[in-house]
Structures are given as C-alpha cells and as structure tokens.
Amino acid sequence: MATVEITGENFQETVQGDGIVVLDFWAEWCGPCQRFAPIFERVSEENPDVVFGKVDTEAQQELSAALQIQSIPTVMMFRDGLMLARESGLQSGKAINDLIARAKELDMDEARRQIEALRQGGAQ
C-alpha cells in the first residue's frame, strides 16, 4: 500500500478509523529521515492491511507541535483510535514489523478496559 500524506485536516480521521495506522514524522533536511524513508516504504508494502502515512513536520508545524514531536524521525502507531507506540530515531524494518505484529495481537477490548480503569483511578 502506498503511503498517504497526513495533514492537520486528515489526521483525526486517519487515526480514529478501524485498524492499524503507522505514521512517519519527517523533514526533507533530516538525514536520518532520508535513510528511514525507503525502510518505511518497504514495510508499508509488506503490510498492505495497515495504513501508512507521512507527516512533513515543516509543512505541518501545528500538528507536529500538538503531538509534541521534538525529534525526527518519529514513528507513531495507532490501532482503532488508540496510540499504541511512539518511537523516535532511525528504526529498522524489523522493529516496525514487530510493533505491527504486537498491535495485531492486542486485545483491543481489554486495552480499552485498562485505559478506562486508569482514567477512573486517576479521577479519584
């Protein structure tokens, strides 16, 4: 699956959908980002059932600031609207594939129950 461009306008719609979404926060001037780009593209081709998106931090400064992106490349992974992982620095294809495999195995109903329990505990 080809990667999609993520902007402030389509971010929420993209990450709130069903399934797994992997985002690459990058900039053209960033050397590690340039080295990571073909890895990210290859992993996207290996996982056609996953949405892969790229966020140009220069063009999407407001979105990057809202998500507190402080170093690039940064990879964020969501499943069914929940952020499951956030990794900064140059990642290997194996590391990204491992994150995806763990996300696929995750019991999302149990994850939501745990998050709600944490919220309830924090509200007291």
Side-chain angles (χ1 to χ4, degrees):
M1 174 178 202
T3 57
V4 294
E5 180 182 355
I6 302 299
T7 66
E9 289 76 36
N10 68 359
F11 173 79
Q12 285 295 335
E13 176 185 337
T14 303
V15 302
Q16 293 297 323
D18 291 339
I20 298 171
V21 177
V22 181
L23 302 181
D24 171 23
F25 291 80
W26 68 283
E28 191 171 323
W29 52 263
C30 168
C33 298
Q34 299 304 322
R35 290 193 299 279
F36 181 60
I39 296 168
F40 191 76
E41 190 64 34
R42 186 184 77 244
V43 173
S44 77
E45 292 167 2
E46 295 169 356
N47 295 278
D49 56 331
V50 174
V51 174
F52 287 81
K54 295 185 73 71
V55 181
D56 180 345
T57 58
E58 292 293 307
Q60 300 299 319
Q61 291 182 15
E62 192 172 302
L63 176 60
S64 298
L67 295 169
Q68 300 177 340
I69 302 298
Q70 297 179 357
S71 66
I72 51 175
T74 290
V75 172
M76 295 177 82
M77 185 172 60
F78 299 81
R79 179 170 170 202
D80 301 343
L82 296 177
M83 185 173 65
L84 301 178
R86 177 185 180 126
E87 301 288 336
S88 294
L90 187 59
Q91 304 292 314
S92 69
K94 181 183 181 330
I96 303 300
N97 277 319
D98 288 349
L99 284 174
I100 292 168
R102 289 199 313 261
K104 287 179 178 179
E105 294 170 358
L106 188 62
D107 179 338
M108 292 305 291
D109 290 332
E110 180 60 24
R112 284 188 187 88
R113 279 193 290 278
Q114 290 178 8
I115 289 169
E116 187 57 33
L118 288 171
R119 286 184 182 146
Q120 295 296 325
Q124 297 176 354

